[in-house]
Amino acid sequence: MTVAISGVHVLVDDPKAALSFYRDILGLTVKNEVSRDEFTWITLTTPSQPEIEIVLEQPHAGRSQDDGDAVAALLAKGELQMLQLRTDDLATTFDKLAAAPGVEVLQEPTDQFWGVRDAAVRDPSGNMIRIAQA
């Protein structure tokens, strides 16, 4: 028996701003986009791992108003789990991120004591994104 990661969900408050970040800056590919009522789910993949999907979804999509409000409050505070990515060119990726509107730099590229070189930013919704040199 084998188990593999097929996808992760990232909560975003503004799907258009998130799409610009993940597609236009990070270079992910849109695999699917579904809208229902006032909500949108956008599925993206990376060129190197097309089998793993990153799904952008809004806090109130598929949740009660109270649960959506609670998740939205955590998102606004930047208290949701981080997304970890890797790139073959951390310097260039970081420069693109640092120059993009709506992106907050948390950490410039740094050699960590556990052996990786990485950087950290917040996406336009406030999610922490750590990107490591592959």
Side-chain angles (χ1 to χ4, degrees), residues 15-96:
K16 287 183 180 177
L19 183 58
S20 178
F21 176 84
Y22 289 95
R23 181 193 59 201
D24 302 337
I25 299 171
L26 290 177
L28 276 62
T29 302
V30 175
K31 183 175 179 181
N32 196 13
E33 185 169 347
V34 176
S35 293
R36 183 175 181 187
D37 301 322
E38 70 269 26
F39 301 114
T40 301
W41 291 260
I42 303 169
T43 304
L44 302 120
T45 61
T46 65
S48 63
Q49 294 176 301
E51 72 281 7
I52 299 176
E53 299 175 342
I54 297 174
V55 181
L56 307 178
E57 67 173 278
Q58 295 161 280
H60 289 89
R63 294 181 181 82
S64 69
Q65 185 65 43
D66 287 346
D67 288 348
D69 290 346
V71 171
L74 291 171
L75 177 62
K77 292 168 53 176
E79 292 296 326
L80 297 177
Q81 294 298 312
M82 76 172 109
L83 179 64
Q84 289 184 276
L85 304 172
R86 65 176 178 257
T87 177
D88 61 353
D89 188 345
L90 180 60
T92 299
T93 303
F94 177 79
D95 289 344
K96 286 178 67 177

